[in-house]
Amino acid sequence: MGHVLVATTPVHITAIYPGSFDPITNGHRDVVSRAAKIVDRLIVAVLRNELKRPLFSVPERMEMLIEVAREFPNVEVEAFDGLLVDYASERGATLIVRGIRAISDYEGELQMALMNRRLRPEIETMFLMAGEQYSFISSRLVKEVIRLGGNISGLVPSIVEERLKSRILEQGDS
Ligand code: PNS
């Protein structure tokens, strides 16, 4: 038998999957499920960013994320503010996970990844591709389609679809 070298340090990876998640889509869910298989602990972290005029409040977005995260035993849900890399380091995370769809996502993601690296070189960013059946889904388009009366089934988890429908109805009433 040849020589073997055995790693001597325990390896434990905590990763952060940050985003606005207004609301979570099936594309996000697919990224969560892929990342959860690779890392020991995955924290899905919602940015507390009320500037973007979200459709759902941060607690509402977290409720929907928690419903989805229940499927995965090593996935947690939190909210954060301030710099992502500072939050990651507070939580003991060494990895940031982001999903990329088309090439158009790449430029902005590259800028963020390199800025984050400059701020904290010890934190790595990992990009995952969701399944191609999700490659056209975005929270923004899902909201637009439902507002205009289109069918969004299969694009978001069913609990999100219900919440979206009732939120749009509420808005229509006011
Ligand atoms: O789902 P989104 O809106 O594309 O997510 C963007 C997010 C939350 C990842 C990004 O805005 C972020 O990390 N904000 C936190 C503030 C920060 O660290 N800014 C510098 C990043 S280069």
Side-chain angles (χ1 to χ4, degrees):
M1 203 178 102
H3 296 285
V4 290
L5 184 63
V6 176
T8 49
T9 48
V11 181
H12 177 97
I13 300 177
T14 295
I16 307 281
Y17 178 31
S20 304
F21 303 109
D22 184 38
I24 180 172
T25 66
N26 281 344
H28 294 128
R29 188 199 159 279
D30 190 60
V31 171
V32 168
S33 106
R34 288 168 198 278
K37 284 187 202 137
I38 300 171
V39 304
D40 299 288
R41 177 177 178 225
L42 181 69
I43 305 174
V44 182
V46 186
L47 176 65
R48 276 202 195 92
N49 173 9
E50 301 298 342
L51 293 177
K52 269 186 165 180
R53 287 176 159 268
L55 183 61
F56 294 103
S57 68
V58 169
E60 287 171 332
R61 282 180 260 163
M62 288 178 73
E63 276 170 31
M64 291 182 266
L65 286 167
I66 287 167
E67 281 309 311
V68 172
R70 270 186 216 291
E71 293 174 59
F72 311 98
N74 59 340
V75 178
E76 297 166 33
V77 177
E78 289 186 346
F80 79 103
D81 42 35
L83 278 179
L84 171 62
V85 285
D86 288 349
Y87 163 72
S89 135
E90 260 167 46
R91 309 304 283 123
T94 50
L95 194 66
I96 293 167
V97 171
R98 291 283 287 170
I100 41 174
R101 290 163 299 196
I103 194 77
S104 48
D105 284 338
Y106 176 80
E107 197 169 343
E109 292 298 328
L110 175 70
Q111 282 186 327
M112 277 202 284
L114 294 181
M115 179 63 84
N116 286 333
R117 178 179 289 169
R118 185 181 176 102
L119 294 167
R120 280 194 191 258
E122 69 278 17
I123 297 179
E124 201 59 71
T125 299
M126 181 171 78
F127 294 108
L128 293 178
M129 269 73 77
E132 75 266 15
Q133 66 272 42
Y134 306 117
S135 61
F136 62 96
I137 306 176
S138 68
S139 300
R140 184 182 62 82
L141 276 186
V142 163
K143 288 183 281 192
E144 183 171 320
V145 168
I146 197 156
R147 233 177 236 130
L148 299 173
N151 182 0
I152 55 153
S153 68
L155 306 186
V156 294
S158 48
I159 172 204
V160 174
E161 190 176 340
E162 286 157 29
R163 293 270 199 130
L164 270 166
K165 282 181 182 155
S166 51
R167 176 57 43 94
I168 296 301
L169 279 176
E170 280 164 31
Q171 287 192 337
D173 289 345
S174 61

